[in-house]
Each structure stands twice: as C-alpha cells, then as structure tokens.
Amino acid sequence: MRRLKILALAFTVLAMVSAGRTFAQSPPDTPEYVGTSRCLVCHANYAKDWRSSHHGWAWNKPDARHVLGDFSGTSFDGGGLSAKFSKNGSQFIIETLDQNGKPKKFTVHSTAGVAPLQQYLLEVEKGRLQSFDIAWDTVRKRWYHLYPGQKASASDGMHWTGPYKNWNARCAECHATGYKKNYDPRERTYTSTQAEISVGCEACHGPGEAHLAWAQSRASSKSSPREGLTDKGFTIGFSASSPETEIQLCATCHARREPLSDSSPVPGTSFHDSYQLALLRPGLYHADGSILEEVYVYGSFLQSRMYAKGVRCSDCHDPHSAGLKTDGNAICTQCHSKAGNDRFPTLRKADYDTPTHHFHKADSAGAQCRSCHMIERVYMGVDPRRDHSFRIPRPDLSAETGAPNACTDCHQDRDASWAAAQISSRHPVSTRRPSRDFSTDFAKARTDPAAQSDALFEIAEDTDVADIVRATALDYLRALSTAEVANRAAPLLGDTSPLVRTAALKLQRGGRPTDYVPRVLPLLEDRYRSVRVAAALLLSSAPIARLPQRSAEAHRKANAEWRASLLARTDFPETHLVLGGVALTMRNLAAAQHAFREAVRQDPQLVDAWRMLVRIALARRDIMEAARTVDQAVAANPENEMLKAMAREISQAGRR
C-alpha cells in the first residue's frame, strides 16, 4: 500500500496518470504477428541462413541444440561470483547466490547468443528474468565472468540480480519479435510478452498477417490490402532509393539509446519516434567520436562519410545470415576500387588494396582495410566489435585529444608521435588531415566548456558536419546554462536534424521563460516524438500563462507522450532521478523524496539520489532523518568520500 501511495503522489504532483497499467499498445489497424514458421513455408531459401545466424540465436528456449555451455557438473569461481552448472533430466541447472545472498538452484529459463559467447537467463521471481554474469565462451569452451572487476554484492545494483542486468528492461526488446515489457510500477512486477523469442522475420519485415492474406489471395494489384501498408501488406517497405528506412530499422537495436515506450516499435516506425539516441558523451565515446563503451554501431555510423553518401547496412551485411557478404578487403573494394560503384559517382576510383596505399605486406593484418579504418574493441570479455565511423587514422591528434588511433593499436611498442611522422612522410599533402578537427574542441570542452563555447557553436552551426557531432557540440554547452547560450542556440530549434533540435531545446533551460517558452511551443508539434517529449520536459517546470487553443492542445498531447515515456521506464533507477528532479523544480519536496527513495531502492549505489535525499531532509530541518539517510547511504557506498564527508558534517551539526 505504501508503494502505491508513494508512486501515486509523485505522479499526481507531476500531473501523471498513475492509475492502472500503462502498457503500450500498437495502433488498432496494425496487422497481427504470425510467427517465423509461417514465413518459412514460402521463403525456405532464407531459412538456413537465418536459423544459424546471430538473429536466429538471439534468444532461445534451453534444449540440447541451443545450450552450448558445459552443464556436466562443472563449476566456476571468480570475480566475486561462483556457480555450479548441472542437469536434472532435460533441465539445465545453475546453482549460485540469489538476490538475497542465499544459495539457490535456478533452472535456466532461456539462452542468448551463439558466438563468441552465450548467456543464460534465470527467472529470479515470476516474470522477472535476469542475465547471469557467468557466460560460456563458445570459442575457448570455458566458463568466464563477463565483468570480473565488478565484484558486486547482492545489494549492489550491478549484481546479476540487479536492475542493470534485468533482461525484461535492458535486453529483451532487441532479442525478441513484437516485445512488450509490461512492467507494473505499483507491484514492481513484469508480465512481459512477445510474438516470439529471437529476432524472427517479422522483427524486420513487420507483422505478417496482412502479407499472408495477400500471398494466399495471390493479389496482383499494387494497392495495399490495408491503408498505410505496402502493396504486399507490410508495415515497412525497402527501396533502393531510400537507405534511411533500412538504416533506422537496424538502428532500432544496433544503437545506444533510451526508449520512449515499453514495446518494440512496429517496423517502419521512425527511430526518432521510438528512442532518444545517446550522443558522443564522455564515458561512451572518445573525444574524437571513436568507440569507448559498447555503443552498438549506429552512433558511430552516423559520423561516417559512408552514411552521408547513402551507404546502407545491407551493402556490407547479409540481412538474413547477419554476416558479411564477402571476406576481407573484398567487402570494401566493391566500391573502393578502380572500377568504383555507379551508385556513388563522386567516389574516387583508385586501387586501395595495394601496399602503395596501406604500406603493409599484402594479405597481412595491417593490409586489411578494417585494421586502419575500423578500430576494434572487445566487450563482454571476448566479443570484438568494430568502430563504424570509418575514420582516417589521426595519430597527430591523439596526444591532444586522448583518443586512440589505429596505428598504435597495432604498433603498441610505438607512440602516437612516431605514427604521425610515418603518415606525414607518406602523405605529406592530404585534404583528409585538416588543421582543425572537432575532436580537439571536444577534448577541451570536457574540462572547460565555457572556454570552448564559440568553437562548439561553430561546430553546431556547420551543416557540413555530421548531425550527431553537431548535437554533441550543443550537449557540451548544457553545463553553462546561461541566457546567452540559450539565445544563441535558439535558431537551431528549427534545424533539419531532430538530434540538433533536441540538443538546442535542452539549452533553453538556461534562458528566461518569457524568452524560451514562445520558441519551444512550436516544437510541441514536431514531426518526431523524441523532440516533442524533450519540449514537454522543458516546459514542465516553466510558468506558462494561458495558451492559444492550438498550442494548449499540442502541449496536452506532448505532455501525455512525455508522461508515457517516463511511465514506460519506471523500472529504470535513472527515471526516478528525473522524476525527483522535476519534483524539485516544482518545489514539492515530498514527491522528490519519494522519487529519490525509489531510485536508491532499485540501485543503492546511486550516490546522487542519496545526496538529494540528505539535502531534502536538511531543507526540512530534520537532522535526525538526514543522519539516518546518510548512514544508509554510506552503508551502501562505504568507499564514497563525498557521502562520508556529509556524514561527518551532519554528525557535527547534530552534536551542536
């Protein structure tokens, strides 16, 4: 009852609808899913490739074919986690410590992945699936810890039973077809559903009901069986003249992003109607935009000249096998060659697969295009991923930016200065090595954005620069939060890129409401939900007088979308930080306290939430509550110096 009251209060204060479940539904005219098995009746030629693909193995029930790990009574101990793997008849058993730190035998619920690793999903309570941290290395045939450095206790948010390892919220959408998370914030339970587990045909082609009807009738007309569908009954249509449709479809899963609903978008839905894309922020990317954390390709690809020229995912990757279309440099020389490619008439025709270009022995590792233009990083312990920004190596900038470079990635006994000299000697004159690069400004902005404000605005205003780079330049300016910054960013509210519009929106908070409210109101009717939601969030704390009817209706609709996006993520600790922040701007300390309490309940290591809880108690002049709260915070984060300092200050204040 207390949990319901807490959430209801928070959502009431924020004008949110907390009564009833908030499960997202597809539009009523959307066709039904029919299952991959129905597709393969006619498209058997694709079945073999799909069944053995990463998509086909994305999520499966545990059986003799799909369980690759050694469950013969083997054990693993390391990284603060131990487990025993065995079988009981047809069941696969993992014995380990549960969410309470007690030994428990779990029956494997399902598997995820085929190479180079496979994970195992365990149901810790009805409907709640967690991805276990000990995985099977399918190459070396061994058990290993995915994150050995974490050594998280059962009370830690990073423990395998914690919110960041929750399959329902963090993983399932991209490993299933037609997924609905169905989280109930009142009961803190999941009743998740999907059309089918694994990435089936309909995950990319859309629900097949109408297409199946078309196929059965053998319709010859080009008219759609239903309004809004293709002539063959699909929700998405692929066209040689529209690479963006395919790219955004792939980006649905192959991107670091924040969902705006609790369900998989129907294929054909714009990426920006479904997600907020993560920008090139510290911790995710290096200053030059190269990969650091696992960011899943899309944010990298958007930076590339290949994306700008219309290259699409299927130019290199087979959509059914999910593998490369060919091996080695041949994947690149289908365009980068003396013959060129008629689709890209501006591409310089030349022989690139030669030592005169790559300066390495033919067929060696250094002679591979990807070695220089797609740096590789290993994630999840054994999984190498390539950077898809296809950048030209710039070791001359490494010292200034701290970003890696492909040269010293391989030549680890050499430094960036040596590599820069080598490139300079071989390419003394190059248009690909400009004197100024956004990476140098971004590197400086990470420590002093104010000093770089002019440079950052110049990047943001330069339409020849990739949109994600322009948006990131604005994102660095959020730390300044001044009226001057808000006013200068105002023209970019009308930019053609939704990423830039959203970033410019967030800068308006530093201005005066009388200035920015009129600027922001038109964006409540933006084409993309990601922009509308950002506009609604900004206006949630702005004093708004009576609006014209059209603006008032747009405000109501965008607010509803914003509320729905928050309610769809109430199982994310980060969401409650947002709720708490909004409550504080509305000067409702009770709602803020409830939100921050829920945040630390989900993740006791959220130091910012603890800090705000202590400050709220002090604002209420409740020194005893502040003392209790800071003691809880330190117990959950015993190494945090800031919390320990707060505890000492409060203790001293209490004695006075």
Side-chain angles (χ1 to χ4, degrees), residues 213-241:
W214 169 87
Q216 290 171 339
S217 66
R218 290 290 185 262
S220 59
S221 169
K222 292 187 176 181
S223 62
S224 171
R226 292 190 198 175
E227 186 178 354
L229 303 182
T230 70
D231 61 329
K232 293 181 174 61
F234 288 119
T235 58
I236 186 172
F238 299 106
S239 164
S241 62

PDB file of all heavy atoms in Angstrom, residues 213-241:
ATOM      1  N   ALA A 213      -2.227 -12.813 -45.953  1.00  0.00           N
ATOM      2  CA  ALA A 213      -3.509 -12.746 -46.662  1.00  0.00           C
ATOM      3  C   ALA A 213      -3.289 -12.397 -48.129  1.00  0.00           C
ATOM      4  O   ALA A 213      -3.933 -12.962 -49.019  1.00  0.00           O
ATOM      5  CB  ALA A 213      -4.412 -11.719 -45.991  1.00  0.00           C
ATOM      6  N   TRP A 214      -2.367 -11.456 -48.377  1.00  0.00           N
ATOM      7  CA  TRP A 214      -2.041 -11.101 -49.755  1.00  0.00           C
ATOM      8  C   TRP A 214      -1.488 -12.300 -50.520  1.00  0.00           C
ATOM      9  O   TRP A 214      -1.865 -12.571 -51.654  1.00  0.00           O
ATOM     10  CB  TRP A 214      -1.026  -9.957 -49.761  1.00  0.00           C
ATOM     11  CG  TRP A 214      -0.432  -9.678 -51.114  1.00  0.00           C
ATOM     12  CD1 TRP A 214      -0.935  -8.870 -52.071  1.00  0.00           C
ATOM     13  CD2 TRP A 214       0.774 -10.233 -51.649  1.00  0.00           C
ATOM     14  NE1 TRP A 214      -0.130  -8.880 -53.180  1.00  0.00           N
ATOM     15  CE2 TRP A 214       0.932  -9.705 -52.938  1.00  0.00           C
ATOM     16  CE3 TRP A 214       1.737 -11.125 -51.157  1.00  0.00           C
ATOM     17  CZ2 TRP A 214       2.013 -10.036 -53.762  1.00  0.00           C
ATOM     18  CZ3 TRP A 214       2.809 -11.468 -51.977  1.00  0.00           C
ATOM     19  CH2 TRP A 214       2.943 -10.926 -53.254  1.00  0.00           C
ATOM     20  N   ALA A 215      -0.558 -13.010 -49.873  1.00  0.00           N
ATOM     21  CA  ALA A 215       0.070 -14.158 -50.525  1.00  0.00           C
ATOM     22  C   ALA A 215      -0.941 -15.250 -50.822  1.00  0.00           C
ATOM     23  O   ALA A 215      -0.900 -15.889 -51.886  1.00  0.00           O
ATOM     24  CB  ALA A 215       1.184 -14.709 -49.653  1.00  0.00           C
ATOM     25  N   GLN A 216      -1.858 -15.476 -49.899  1.00  0.00           N
ATOM     26  CA  GLN A 216      -2.852 -16.526 -50.085  1.00  0.00           C
ATOM     27  C   GLN A 216      -3.835 -16.185 -51.188  1.00  0.00           C
ATOM     28  O   GLN A 216      -4.336 -17.052 -51.896  1.00  0.00           O
ATOM     29  CB  GLN A 216      -3.581 -16.796 -48.769  1.00  0.00           C
ATOM     30  CG  GLN A 216      -2.697 -17.467 -47.725  1.00  0.00           C
ATOM     31  CD  GLN A 216      -3.348 -17.546 -46.357  1.00  0.00           C
ATOM     32  OE1 GLN A 216      -4.289 -16.795 -46.041  1.00  0.00           O
ATOM     33  NE2 GLN A 216      -2.848 -18.444 -45.501  1.00  0.00           N
ATOM     34  N   SER A 217      -4.124 -14.891 -51.345  1.00  0.00           N
ATOM     35  CA  SER A 217      -5.050 -14.477 -52.396  1.00  0.00           C
ATOM     36  C   SER A 217      -4.363 -14.289 -53.730  1.00  0.00           C
ATOM     37  O   SER A 217      -5.039 -14.122 -54.759  1.00  0.00           O
ATOM     38  CB  SER A 217      -5.743 -13.180 -52.000  1.00  0.00           C
ATOM     39  OG  SER A 217      -4.798 -12.112 -51.937  1.00  0.00           O
ATOM     40  N   ARG A 218      -2.992 -14.255 -53.693  1.00  0.00           N
ATOM     41  CA  ARG A 218      -2.212 -14.024 -54.896  1.00  0.00           C
ATOM     42  C   ARG A 218      -2.669 -12.755 -55.621  1.00  0.00           C
ATOM     43  O   ARG A 218      -2.811 -12.700 -56.834  1.00  0.00           O
ATOM     44  CB  ARG A 218      -2.282 -15.219 -55.844  1.00  0.00           C
ATOM     45  CG  ARG A 218      -1.553 -16.434 -55.352  1.00  0.00           C
ATOM     46  CD  ARG A 218      -0.058 -16.174 -55.394  1.00  0.00           C
ATOM     47  NE  ARG A 218       0.726 -17.369 -55.047  1.00  0.00           N
ATOM     48  CZ  ARG A 218       1.237 -17.626 -53.881  1.00  0.00           C
ATOM     49  NH1 ARG A 218       1.041 -16.745 -52.910  1.00  0.00           N
ATOM     50  NH2 ARG A 218       1.926 -18.722 -53.658  1.00  0.00           N
ATOM     51  N   ALA A 219      -2.869 -11.709 -54.820  1.00  0.00           N
ATOM     52  CA  ALA A 219      -3.302 -10.431 -55.378  1.00  0.00           C
ATOM     53  C   ALA A 219      -2.251  -9.902 -56.330  1.00  0.00           C
ATOM     54  O   ALA A 219      -1.056  -9.947 -56.061  1.00  0.00           O
ATOM     55  CB  ALA A 219      -3.547  -9.428 -54.256  1.00  0.00           C
ATOM     56  N   SER A 220      -2.701  -9.403 -57.429  1.00  0.00           N
ATOM     57  CA  SER A 220      -1.795  -8.844 -58.428  1.00  0.00           C
ATOM     58  C   SER A 220      -1.799  -7.331 -58.435  1.00  0.00           C
ATOM     59  O   SER A 220      -0.935  -6.708 -59.043  1.00  0.00           O
ATOM     60  CB  SER A 220      -2.177  -9.352 -59.821  1.00  0.00           C
ATOM     61  OG  SER A 220      -3.511  -8.997 -60.127  1.00  0.00           O
ATOM     62  N   SER A 221      -2.759  -6.733 -57.782  1.00  0.00           N
ATOM     63  CA  SER A 221      -2.842  -5.280 -57.728  1.00  0.00           C
ATOM     64  C   SER A 221      -1.743  -4.715 -56.858  1.00  0.00           C
ATOM     65  O   SER A 221      -1.270  -5.336 -55.915  1.00  0.00           O
ATOM     66  CB  SER A 221      -4.208  -4.852 -57.191  1.00  0.00           C
ATOM     67  OG  SER A 221      -4.240  -3.506 -56.898  1.00  0.00           O
ATOM     68  N   LYS A 222      -1.324  -3.494 -57.178  1.00  0.00           N
ATOM     69  CA  LYS A 222      -0.320  -2.822 -56.376  1.00  0.00           C
ATOM     70  C   LYS A 222      -0.919  -2.045 -55.211  1.00  0.00           C
ATOM     71  O   LYS A 222      -0.197  -1.430 -54.439  1.00  0.00           O
ATOM     72  CB  LYS A 222       0.512  -1.880 -57.252  1.00  0.00           C
ATOM     73  CG  LYS A 222       1.395  -2.595 -58.253  1.00  0.00           C
ATOM     74  CD  LYS A 222       2.314  -1.610 -58.975  1.00  0.00           C
ATOM     75  CE  LYS A 222       3.254  -2.357 -59.903  1.00  0.00           C
ATOM     76  NZ  LYS A 222       4.184  -1.407 -60.606  1.00  0.00           N
ATOM     77  N   SER A 223      -2.229  -2.045 -55.093  1.00  0.00           N
ATOM     78  CA  SER A 223      -2.867  -1.353 -53.979  1.00  0.00           C
ATOM     79  C   SER A 223      -2.673  -2.133 -52.692  1.00  0.00           C
ATOM     80  O   SER A 223      -2.644  -3.359 -52.685  1.00  0.00           O
ATOM     81  CB  SER A 223      -4.360  -1.160 -54.253  1.00  0.00           C
ATOM     82  OG  SER A 223      -4.997  -2.419 -54.388  1.00  0.00           O
ATOM     83  N   SER A 224      -2.541  -1.425 -51.609  1.00  0.00           N
ATOM     84  CA  SER A 224      -2.294  -2.039 -50.312  1.00  0.00           C
ATOM     85  C   SER A 224      -3.528  -2.756 -49.812  1.00  0.00           C
ATOM     86  O   SER A 224      -4.645  -2.265 -49.965  1.00  0.00           O
ATOM     87  CB  SER A 224      -1.866  -0.978 -49.315  1.00  0.00           C
ATOM     88  OG  SER A 224      -1.817  -1.503 -48.012  1.00  0.00           O
ATOM     89  N   PRO A 225      -3.380  -3.914 -49.193  1.00  0.00           N
ATOM     90  CA  PRO A 225      -4.525  -4.600 -48.594  1.00  0.00           C
ATOM     91  C   PRO A 225      -5.139  -3.796 -47.458  1.00  0.00           C
ATOM     92  O   PRO A 225      -6.296  -3.985 -47.131  1.00  0.00           O
ATOM     93  CB  PRO A 225      -3.941  -5.911 -48.091  1.00  0.00           C
ATOM     94  CG  PRO A 225      -2.511  -5.870 -48.356  1.00  0.00           C
ATOM     95  CD  PRO A 225      -2.123  -4.651 -49.015  1.00  0.00           C
ATOM     96  N   ARG A 226      -4.362  -2.950 -46.818  1.00  0.00           N
ATOM     97  CA  ARG A 226      -4.850  -2.066 -45.764  1.00  0.00           C
ATOM     98  C   ARG A 226      -4.190  -0.701 -45.915  1.00  0.00           C
ATOM     99  O   ARG A 226      -3.063  -0.593 -46.414  1.00  0.00           O
ATOM    100  CB  ARG A 226      -4.517  -2.615 -44.381  1.00  0.00           C
ATOM    101  CG  ARG A 226      -5.243  -3.857 -43.993  1.00  0.00           C
ATOM    102  CD  ARG A 226      -5.010  -4.172 -42.528  1.00  0.00           C
ATOM    103  NE  ARG A 226      -5.319  -5.542 -42.208  1.00  0.00           N
ATOM    104  CZ  ARG A 226      -5.106  -6.101 -41.021  1.00  0.00           C
ATOM    105  NH1 ARG A 226      -4.585  -5.371 -40.043  1.00  0.00           N
ATOM    106  NH2 ARG A 226      -5.399  -7.362 -40.807  1.00  0.00           N
ATOM    107  N   GLU A 227      -4.882   0.302 -45.489  1.00  0.00           N
ATOM    108  CA  GLU A 227      -4.328   1.645 -45.541  1.00  0.00           C
ATOM    109  C   GLU A 227      -3.064   1.733 -44.685  1.00  0.00           C
ATOM    110  O   GLU A 227      -3.016   1.244 -43.567  1.00  0.00           O
ATOM    111  CB  GLU A 227      -5.361   2.660 -45.048  1.00  0.00           C
ATOM    112  CG  GLU A 227      -4.900   4.106 -45.199  1.00  0.00           C
ATOM    113  CD  GLU A 227      -5.951   5.090 -44.740  1.00  0.00           C
ATOM    114  OE1 GLU A 227      -7.082   4.661 -44.411  1.00  0.00           O
ATOM    115  OE2 GLU A 227      -5.645   6.302 -44.707  1.00  0.00           O
ATOM    116  N   GLY A 228      -2.038   2.349 -45.246  1.00  0.00           N
ATOM    117  CA  GLY A 228      -0.794   2.527 -44.521  1.00  0.00           C
ATOM    118  C   GLY A 228       0.193   1.395 -44.684  1.00  0.00           C
ATOM    119  O   GLY A 228       1.307   1.465 -44.169  1.00  0.00           O
ATOM    120  N   LEU A 229      -0.165   0.330 -45.406  1.00  0.00           N
ATOM    121  CA  LEU A 229       0.726  -0.800 -45.639  1.00  0.00           C
ATOM    122  C   LEU A 229       1.262  -0.763 -47.066  1.00  0.00           C
ATOM    123  O   LEU A 229       0.741  -0.049 -47.921  1.00  0.00           O
ATOM    124  CB  LEU A 229      -0.007  -2.119 -45.386  1.00  0.00           C
ATOM    125  CG  LEU A 229      -0.641  -2.309 -44.006  1.00  0.00           C
ATOM    126  CD1 LEU A 229      -1.289  -3.688 -43.908  1.00  0.00           C
ATOM    127  CD2 LEU A 229       0.371  -2.107 -42.892  1.00  0.00           C
ATOM    128  N   THR A 230       2.298  -1.530 -47.313  1.00  0.00           N
ATOM    129  CA  THR A 230       2.833  -1.641 -48.663  1.00  0.00           C
ATOM    130  C   THR A 230       1.883  -2.456 -49.527  1.00  0.00           C
ATOM    131  O   THR A 230       0.906  -3.039 -49.038  1.00  0.00           O
ATOM    132  CB  THR A 230       4.218  -2.300 -48.665  1.00  0.00           C
ATOM    133  OG1 THR A 230       4.079  -3.696 -48.333  1.00  0.00           O
ATOM    134  CG2 THR A 230       5.150  -1.623 -47.658  1.00  0.00           C
ATOM    135  N   ASP A 231       2.184  -2.521 -50.817  1.00  0.00           N
ATOM    136  CA  ASP A 231       1.312  -3.259 -51.727  1.00  0.00           C
ATOM    137  C   ASP A 231       1.284  -4.752 -51.436  1.00  0.00           C
ATOM    138  O   ASP A 231       0.390  -5.456 -51.889  1.00  0.00           O
ATOM    139  CB  ASP A 231       1.717  -2.995 -53.178  1.00  0.00           C
ATOM    140  CG  ASP A 231       3.127  -3.445 -53.486  1.00  0.00           C
ATOM    141  OD1 ASP A 231       3.975  -3.408 -52.577  1.00  0.00           O
ATOM    142  OD2 ASP A 231       3.390  -3.826 -54.632  1.00  0.00           O
ATOM    143  N   LYS A 232       2.260  -5.242 -50.657  1.00  0.00           N
ATOM    144  CA  LYS A 232       2.281  -6.657 -50.269  1.00  0.00           C
ATOM    145  C   LYS A 232       1.880  -6.856 -48.814  1.00  0.00           C
ATOM    146  O   LYS A 232       2.030  -7.945 -48.264  1.00  0.00           O
ATOM    147  CB  LYS A 232       3.654  -7.268 -50.545  1.00  0.00           C
ATOM    148  CG  LYS A 232       3.988  -7.371 -52.030  1.00  0.00           C
ATOM    149  CD  LYS A 232       5.355  -8.009 -52.238  1.00  0.00           C
ATOM    150  CE  LYS A 232       5.636  -8.239 -53.718  1.00  0.00           C
ATOM    151  NZ  LYS A 232       5.658  -7.000 -54.509  1.00  0.00           N
ATOM    152  N   GLY A 233       1.385  -5.797 -48.168  1.00  0.00           N
ATOM    153  CA  GLY A 233       0.834  -5.945 -46.832  1.00  0.00           C
ATOM    154  C   GLY A 233       1.811  -5.778 -45.682  1.00  0.00           C
ATOM    155  O   GLY A 233       1.520  -6.210 -44.563  1.00  0.00           O
ATOM    156  N   PHE A 234       2.950  -5.140 -45.913  1.00  0.00           N
ATOM    157  CA  PHE A 234       3.937  -4.938 -44.857  1.00  0.00           C
ATOM    158  C   PHE A 234       3.831  -3.524 -44.264  1.00  0.00           C
ATOM    159  O   PHE A 234       3.370  -2.593 -44.933  1.00  0.00           O
ATOM    160  CB  PHE A 234       5.353  -5.145 -45.386  1.00  0.00           C
ATOM    161  CG  PHE A 234       5.687  -6.579 -45.683  1.00  0.00           C
ATOM    162  CD1 PHE A 234       6.022  -6.976 -46.976  1.00  0.00           C
ATOM    163  CD2 PHE A 234       5.675  -7.532 -44.682  1.00  0.00           C
ATOM    164  CE1 PHE A 234       6.345  -8.289 -47.257  1.00  0.00           C
ATOM    165  CE2 PHE A 234       5.984  -8.860 -44.954  1.00  0.00           C
ATOM    166  CZ  PHE A 234       6.315  -9.243 -46.241  1.00  0.00           C
ATOM    167  N   THR A 235       4.289  -3.393 -43.035  1.00  0.00           N
ATOM    168  CA  THR A 235       4.326  -2.080 -42.391  1.00  0.00           C
ATOM    169  C   THR A 235       5.563  -1.288 -42.794  1.00  0.00           C
ATOM    170  O   THR A 235       5.667  -0.105 -42.487  1.00  0.00           O
ATOM    171  CB  THR A 235       4.327  -2.221 -40.854  1.00  0.00           C
ATOM    172  OG1 THR A 235       5.472  -3.008 -40.442  1.00  0.00           O
ATOM    173  CG2 THR A 235       3.048  -2.894 -40.377  1.00  0.00           C
ATOM    174  N   ILE A 236       6.506  -1.924 -43.464  1.00  0.00           N
ATOM    175  CA  ILE A 236       7.737  -1.274 -43.893  1.00  0.00           C
ATOM    176  C   ILE A 236       8.051  -1.708 -45.316  1.00  0.00           C
ATOM    177  O   ILE A 236       7.835  -2.864 -45.682  1.00  0.00           O
ATOM    178  CB  ILE A 236       8.912  -1.607 -42.952  1.00  0.00           C
ATOM    179  CG1 ILE A 236      10.171  -0.815 -43.320  1.00  0.00           C
ATOM    180  CG2 ILE A 236       9.190  -3.099 -42.908  1.00  0.00           C
ATOM    181  CD1 ILE A 236      11.298  -0.961 -42.300  1.00  0.00           C
ATOM    182  N   GLY A 237       8.519  -0.770 -46.105  1.00  0.00           N
ATOM    183  CA  GLY A 237       8.910  -1.084 -47.468  1.00  0.00           C
ATOM    184  C   GLY A 237      10.348  -0.667 -47.719  1.00  0.00           C
ATOM    185  O   GLY A 237      10.733   0.459 -47.404  1.00  0.00           O
ATOM    186  N   PHE A 238      11.140  -1.581 -48.221  1.00  0.00           N
ATOM    187  CA  PHE A 238      12.537  -1.300 -48.505  1.00  0.00           C
ATOM    188  C   PHE A 238      12.678  -0.879 -49.962  1.00  0.00           C
ATOM    189  O   PHE A 238      12.112  -1.495 -50.861  1.00  0.00           O
ATOM    190  CB  PHE A 238      13.409  -2.511 -48.212  1.00  0.00           C
ATOM    191  CG  PHE A 238      13.353  -2.949 -46.782  1.00  0.00           C
ATOM    192  CD1 PHE A 238      12.655  -4.100 -46.414  1.00  0.00           C
ATOM    193  CD2 PHE A 238      13.969  -2.214 -45.789  1.00  0.00           C
ATOM    194  CE1 PHE A 238      12.594  -4.507 -45.099  1.00  0.00           C
ATOM    195  CE2 PHE A 238      13.910  -2.612 -44.464  1.00  0.00           C
ATOM    196  CZ  PHE A 238      13.221  -3.761 -44.115  1.00  0.00           C
ATOM    197  N   SER A 239      13.454   0.160 -50.182  1.00  0.00           N
ATOM    198  CA  SER A 239      13.620   0.713 -51.516  1.00  0.00           C
ATOM    199  C   SER A 239      15.078   1.061 -51.754  1.00  0.00           C
ATOM    200  O   SER A 239      15.764   1.553 -50.850  1.00  0.00           O
ATOM    201  CB  SER A 239      12.748   1.959 -51.693  1.00  0.00           C
ATOM    202  OG  SER A 239      13.104   2.714 -52.781  1.00  0.00           O
ATOM    203  N   ALA A 240      15.550   0.830 -52.973  1.00  0.00           N
ATOM    204  CA  ALA A 240      16.923   1.171 -53.326  1.00  0.00           C
ATOM    205  C   ALA A 240      17.175   2.661 -53.210  1.00  0.00           C
ATOM    206  O   ALA A 240      18.297   3.102 -52.975  1.00  0.00           O
ATOM    207  CB  ALA A 240      17.226   0.703 -54.750  1.00  0.00           C
ATOM    208  N   SER A 241      16.130   3.462 -53.346  1.00  0.00           N
ATOM    209  CA  SER A 241      16.272   4.911 -53.290  1.00  0.00           C
ATOM    210  C   SER A 241      16.141   5.475 -51.880  1.00  0.00           C
ATOM    211  O   SER A 241      16.264   6.682 -51.694  1.00  0.00           O
ATOM    212  CB  SER A 241      15.230   5.571 -54.200  1.00  0.00           C
ATOM    213  OG  SER A 241      13.907   5.254 -53.763  1.00  0.00           O
TER     214      SER A 241
END
